[in-house]
Each structure stands twice: as C-alpha cells, then as structure tokens.
Amino acid sequence: MFSKAEAGKRTSVDFFITYSKGSVFVSKIAVVLTDMFEDVEYTDPAHSFEENGHTLTVISDEKGKELTGKQGDAKVTADKGIEEVSEESFDALFIPGGFSPDILRGDARFVEFVKRFMYKDKPVFAICHGPQLLITAEALRGRKITGYKSIQTDLKYAGGNVFDEEVVVCGNLVSSREPDDIPAFIAKSLDILSKSIN
Amino acid sequence: MFSKAEAGKRTSVDFFITYSKGSVFVSKIAVVLTDMFEDVEYTDPAHSFEENGHTLTVISDEKGKELTGKQGDAKVTADKGIEEVSEESFDALFIPGGFSPDILRGDARFVEFVKRFMYKDKPVFAICHGPQLLITAEALRGRKITGYKSIQTDLKYAGGNVFDEEVVVCGNLVSSREPDDIPAFIAKSLDILSKSIN
C-alpha cells in the first residue's frame, strides 16, 4: 500500500508502474495461471479489472503458452514466463482457482513469486483453490482467509483464520470461495485497488 | 489389524470379509474414486491387488457412475455409491491420486468414510493427492506420511511428519508421492495386507 505521496514517488521511480489514467489511478496486476483454471474465475474478474483501467499480465511457466480452462470455455495466452518477471514490476497479484493453483505450487518459482507480494503487503486476490499457493508460500499464519470448501481445512492448518463467507478481506488480501462469489470478490478487489493509491 | 484368531472370528461374524483362498488370506479393499483420478495410480495397484487375490470395490458418489481418469486412458464403473457402504464391510482402503481426492473431500460423506478406517487402524493406502482426504479427515497428526510435492506443505501443516521418500509406512498407513513410486507403493501395501492377518 502506498500513500498518495508514495504513489507519486513510485510514478517517477518505477516507470509508471502505477499511473494516472485521466483522474483514476490504475494498477499493473500479475496473474499466475496454467491449464485447468476455473474459467469464469479468471475471465470475469479479468474483464472487470480491465474495464476499470487496470492492466493484467498473465504469467505461466513459459511465455506464449496457450492455457485452457477446465471447462474448456476459456483460452488464454501467457504474456510472460515466470523466469522473465519480478514482483517489483507489479502493483497487485490475482490468483484464479480451479486446479491451476495446485499445479503452479509444484513449481518453487511461482511459490517464491507469490510469497514476495505477501511480504510486501501488496494487494493479493485469491479465489477458490487460489489460496493453495499462499499455503505453500507459508504466508497465511494469522490471516483472515477463505477458499473453496475442499481446502478450508488446509487453510486452518496453515494458521489462517478461516471464514466461510463469500468474500474475506484481511488488509490487502482478498479471498473468495467459488464462482458464485465472483461479484463480491471483484467488488472488494476493486475497492482495495482504489484504496491502495488514494 | 486382526490377529489370526480375530480374522477367524470375523470370518464367521462378518460374512467372509476376510477369507482364506487356498492357503492365502485375502482382503476386501474399498477404493474411493471420482473423475480426474491419475489413471495409473488406480489401474496399476488395482491390478496387483487383484492378482494377489484381494477384491476391490470402487465407491463413488453414485453406483454405476462411469469415471474417467485425467489422462483419459482409464474408465472405471463405480460398484457402489457412498450412501450404500460402511467401513465395517471392508478390510482396507485405497485412495488413488490425481484431482479425484480433492473433489471427494468436498463431500463430507467421503471424509467420514475415510476417517473411520483411520480410527480403526485398518490398512490405508494413499498415493499422490490421496492424502488430501486424510488431511480433511484430520487424521494425520503425528503420523509419518508423504504425498505429491504440491501437497507436502499441507501435510506438514496437518501435523504429519513428512518424508520425501518413494514410500512411507506408518503402522497400517502406506503413502507415496507420484506415479514413479507405484512399484514401491504396491510392494509395501501388499506387505501390510499379508501382515494384517498373518
């Protein structure tokens, strides 16, 4: 989170990572994604984030990889490979659900990338199985969190304070359980993005 | 685990749950399974168990359901629905991996079914993501365990003593990490089955 002054400072130092678009500040959001993501858990928030002027960079194990959602409805091309990116180039992180997060957390590079956002207290938006990456990053102790019902015991064991709610906000960390929660997830995520620079 | 005497007693009381086939005692093994299981993690152990005279009952959310592995190679028809079965009818439990265990643990009936085998100290064989069901059953505290690399942090948080070995035996609990570990997994599982009644 930056104060207005810090946001201003970042604008000059960090080559417009966060910049003003008309009268609205917008953010660069990193998305970690691979095959078997839950289609609408990527597409719906991505659409809303972009509609609000934020930019998304889809990061997978390699640049240009074509990723397919588990329903087969959504196809997404990776903008960057994990080797090419650094947390420092982004304002926020978005982790869609499905089986994608469990596949990604088998790769230590994604775990380390995610861990950096949590360490820096940057906005992190995780839905469904998304929080699995935060467990492996060992970043949930004492945090309010929710996730898909099958992972709620994992979240509790990881030290999270688990709430079975459509959206749970803990500082800059926003989490939701399932596709039905997407509208609440988007609303709180957009709220955090606006607050983080205003 | 039964002593020979207890196995004998069960033979008469429990309608040949464990019975003698020639000179070899064989077991009734429950398998919990749904779509997206890791094909060879079901087919290879199932083949070996049957070759050794043990019988398998595939249990899913409903009887007769056709289940497809995540590689699309294996198709299995469910013998029983979870509503029809009780732990008392089986000598052992087998939990193949893939995404099947995570789907099953979203259904409390499977979690309760698995928990009963752990409570009774019956043989439980879990490979890859199979131990996810044991986490949700809250049955791993203090147990030696392994699992697919992506769930090893979950296992640690669940109170397990996690070893990154091809097969880990803890009493009647046998666990392995991935398809490459299948031969060791089968060998130790068969060993437990023979010991449990000899």
Side-chain angles (χ1 to χ4, degrees), chain A residues 181-193:
Chain A
D181 301 339
I182 290 173
F185 177 72
I186 292 171
K188 290 293 182 189
S189 299
L190 288 173
D191 192 42
I192 293 283
L193 287 174

PDB file of all heavy atoms in Angstrom, chain A residues 181-193:
ATOM      1  N   ASP A 181     -19.309 -16.492  -5.805  1.00  0.00           N
ATOM      2  CA  ASP A 181     -18.804 -15.366  -5.007  1.00  0.00           C
ATOM      3  C   ASP A 181     -18.127 -14.300  -5.856  1.00  0.00           C
ATOM      4  O   ASP A 181     -17.663 -13.274  -5.327  1.00  0.00           O
ATOM      5  CB  ASP A 181     -17.779 -15.872  -3.977  1.00  0.00           C
ATOM      6  CG  ASP A 181     -18.352 -16.910  -3.017  1.00  0.00           C
ATOM      7  OD1 ASP A 181     -19.591 -16.962  -2.865  1.00  0.00           O
ATOM      8  OD2 ASP A 181     -17.560 -17.650  -2.405  1.00  0.00           O
ATOM      9  N   ILE A 182     -18.034 -14.529  -7.172  1.00  0.00           N
ATOM     10  CA  ILE A 182     -17.239 -13.642  -8.035  1.00  0.00           C
ATOM     11  C   ILE A 182     -17.639 -12.159  -7.932  1.00  0.00           C
ATOM     12  O   ILE A 182     -16.759 -11.300  -7.808  1.00  0.00           O
ATOM     13  CB  ILE A 182     -17.257 -14.131  -9.510  1.00  0.00           C
ATOM     14  CG1 ILE A 182     -16.445 -15.432  -9.630  1.00  0.00           C
ATOM     15  CG2 ILE A 182     -16.708 -13.086 -10.459  1.00  0.00           C
ATOM     16  CD1 ILE A 182     -16.520 -16.121 -10.998  1.00  0.00           C
ATOM     17  N   PRO A 183     -18.948 -11.820  -7.938  1.00  0.00           N
ATOM     18  CA  PRO A 183     -19.277 -10.389  -7.858  1.00  0.00           C
ATOM     19  C   PRO A 183     -18.726  -9.716  -6.588  1.00  0.00           C
ATOM     20  O   PRO A 183     -18.165  -8.612  -6.659  1.00  0.00           O
ATOM     21  CB  PRO A 183     -20.815 -10.391  -7.865  1.00  0.00           C
ATOM     22  CG  PRO A 183     -21.183 -11.659  -8.582  1.00  0.00           C
ATOM     23  CD  PRO A 183     -20.144 -12.658  -8.167  1.00  0.00           C
ATOM     24  N   ALA A 184     -18.850 -10.397  -5.443  1.00  0.00           N
ATOM     25  CA  ALA A 184     -18.326  -9.838  -4.188  1.00  0.00           C
ATOM     26  C   ALA A 184     -16.802  -9.752  -4.222  1.00  0.00           C
ATOM     27  O   ALA A 184     -16.199  -8.785  -3.722  1.00  0.00           O
ATOM     28  CB  ALA A 184     -18.779 -10.702  -3.009  1.00  0.00           C
ATOM     29  N   PHE A 185     -16.186 -10.772  -4.826  1.00  0.00           N
ATOM     30  CA  PHE A 185     -14.720 -10.828  -4.955  1.00  0.00           C
ATOM     31  C   PHE A 185     -14.211  -9.651  -5.785  1.00  0.00           C
ATOM     32  O   PHE A 185     -13.249  -8.968  -5.410  1.00  0.00           O
ATOM     33  CB  PHE A 185     -14.345 -12.158  -5.608  1.00  0.00           C
ATOM     34  CG  PHE A 185     -12.881 -12.370  -5.885  1.00  0.00           C
ATOM     35  CD1 PHE A 185     -11.990 -12.604  -4.847  1.00  0.00           C
ATOM     36  CD2 PHE A 185     -12.402 -12.379  -7.188  1.00  0.00           C
ATOM     37  CE1 PHE A 185     -10.633 -12.827  -5.103  1.00  0.00           C
ATOM     38  CE2 PHE A 185     -11.049 -12.603  -7.450  1.00  0.00           C
ATOM     39  CZ  PHE A 185     -10.165 -12.826  -6.409  1.00  0.00           C
ATOM     40  N   ILE A 186     -14.891  -9.396  -6.893  1.00  0.00           N
ATOM     41  CA  ILE A 186     -14.491  -8.287  -7.764  1.00  0.00           C
ATOM     42  C   ILE A 186     -14.671  -6.946  -7.049  1.00  0.00           C
ATOM     43  O   ILE A 186     -13.777  -6.089  -7.074  1.00  0.00           O
ATOM     44  CB  ILE A 186     -15.306  -8.297  -9.084  1.00  0.00           C
ATOM     45  CG1 ILE A 186     -14.917  -9.511  -9.937  1.00  0.00           C
ATOM     46  CG2 ILE A 186     -15.123  -7.002  -9.856  1.00  0.00           C
ATOM     47  CD1 ILE A 186     -15.823  -9.734 -11.158  1.00  0.00           C
ATOM     48  N   ALA A 187     -15.816  -6.790  -6.382  1.00  0.00           N
ATOM     49  CA  ALA A 187     -16.116  -5.510  -5.723  1.00  0.00           C
ATOM     50  C   ALA A 187     -15.052  -5.167  -4.678  1.00  0.00           C
ATOM     51  O   ALA A 187     -14.528  -4.040  -4.636  1.00  0.00           O
ATOM     52  CB  ALA A 187     -17.503  -5.562  -5.074  1.00  0.00           C
ATOM     53  N   LYS A 188     -14.705  -6.153  -3.834  1.00  0.00           N
ATOM     54  CA  LYS A 188     -13.711  -5.897  -2.776  1.00  0.00           C
ATOM     55  C   LYS A 188     -12.304  -5.702  -3.359  1.00  0.00           C
ATOM     56  O   LYS A 188     -11.521  -4.905  -2.849  1.00  0.00           O
ATOM     57  CB  LYS A 188     -13.689  -7.046  -1.762  1.00  0.00           C
ATOM     58  CG  LYS A 188     -14.932  -7.126  -0.889  1.00  0.00           C
ATOM     59  CD  LYS A 188     -15.044  -5.934   0.056  1.00  0.00           C
ATOM     60  CE  LYS A 188     -16.266  -6.071   0.959  1.00  0.00           C
ATOM     61  NZ  LYS A 188     -16.503  -4.822   1.743  1.00  0.00           N
ATOM     62  N   SER A 189     -12.011  -6.437  -4.437  1.00  0.00           N
ATOM     63  CA  SER A 189     -10.686  -6.289  -5.057  1.00  0.00           C
ATOM     64  C   SER A 189     -10.521  -4.899  -5.663  1.00  0.00           C
ATOM     65  O   SER A 189      -9.486  -4.241  -5.470  1.00  0.00           O
ATOM     66  CB  SER A 189     -10.483  -7.363  -6.143  1.00  0.00           C
ATOM     67  OG  SER A 189     -10.551  -8.656  -5.582  1.00  0.00           O
ATOM     68  N   LEU A 190     -11.560  -4.438  -6.354  1.00  0.00           N
ATOM     69  CA  LEU A 190     -11.515  -3.089  -6.937  1.00  0.00           C
ATOM     70  C   LEU A 190     -11.410  -2.034  -5.840  1.00  0.00           C
ATOM     71  O   LEU A 190     -10.705  -1.031  -5.987  1.00  0.00           O
ATOM     72  CB  LEU A 190     -12.757  -2.840  -7.806  1.00  0.00           C
ATOM     73  CG  LEU A 190     -12.794  -3.602  -9.137  1.00  0.00           C
ATOM     74  CD1 LEU A 190     -14.153  -3.397  -9.836  1.00  0.00           C
ATOM     75  CD2 LEU A 190     -11.652  -3.146 -10.066  1.00  0.00           C
ATOM     76  N   ASP A 191     -12.098  -2.295  -4.740  1.00  0.00           N
ATOM     77  CA  ASP A 191     -12.057  -1.383  -3.592  1.00  0.00           C
ATOM     78  C   ASP A 191     -10.621  -1.261  -3.060  1.00  0.00           C
ATOM     79  O   ASP A 191     -10.128  -0.149  -2.819  1.00  0.00           O
ATOM     80  CB  ASP A 191     -13.001  -1.964  -2.526  1.00  0.00           C
ATOM     81  CG  ASP A 191     -13.268  -0.973  -1.407  1.00  0.00           C
ATOM     82  OD1 ASP A 191     -13.464   0.222  -1.719  1.00  0.00           O
ATOM     83  OD2 ASP A 191     -13.281  -1.391  -0.239  1.00  0.00           O
ATOM     84  N   ILE A 192      -9.968  -2.396  -2.909  1.00  0.00           N
ATOM     85  CA  ILE A 192      -8.574  -2.400  -2.417  1.00  0.00           C
ATOM     86  C   ILE A 192      -7.659  -1.654  -3.394  1.00  0.00           C
ATOM     87  O   ILE A 192      -6.815  -0.863  -2.995  1.00  0.00           O
ATOM     88  CB  ILE A 192      -8.063  -3.866  -2.263  1.00  0.00           C
ATOM     89  CG1 ILE A 192      -8.811  -4.592  -1.153  1.00  0.00           C
ATOM     90  CG2 ILE A 192      -6.536  -3.880  -2.034  1.00  0.00           C
ATOM     91  CD1 ILE A 192      -8.403  -4.242   0.246  1.00  0.00           C
ATOM     92  N   LEU A 193      -7.867  -1.894  -4.696  1.00  0.00           N
ATOM     93  CA  LEU A 193      -7.010  -1.240  -5.693  1.00  0.00           C
ATOM     94  C   LEU A 193      -7.173   0.273  -5.647  1.00  0.00           C
ATOM     95  O   LEU A 193      -6.201   1.010  -5.779  1.00  0.00           O
ATOM     96  CB  LEU A 193      -7.343  -1.749  -7.102  1.00  0.00           C
ATOM     97  CG  LEU A 193      -6.882  -3.181  -7.418  1.00  0.00           C
ATOM     98  CD1 LEU A 193      -7.392  -3.608  -8.790  1.00  0.00           C
ATOM     99  CD2 LEU A 193      -5.359  -3.306  -7.347  1.00  0.00           C
TER     100      LEU A 193
END
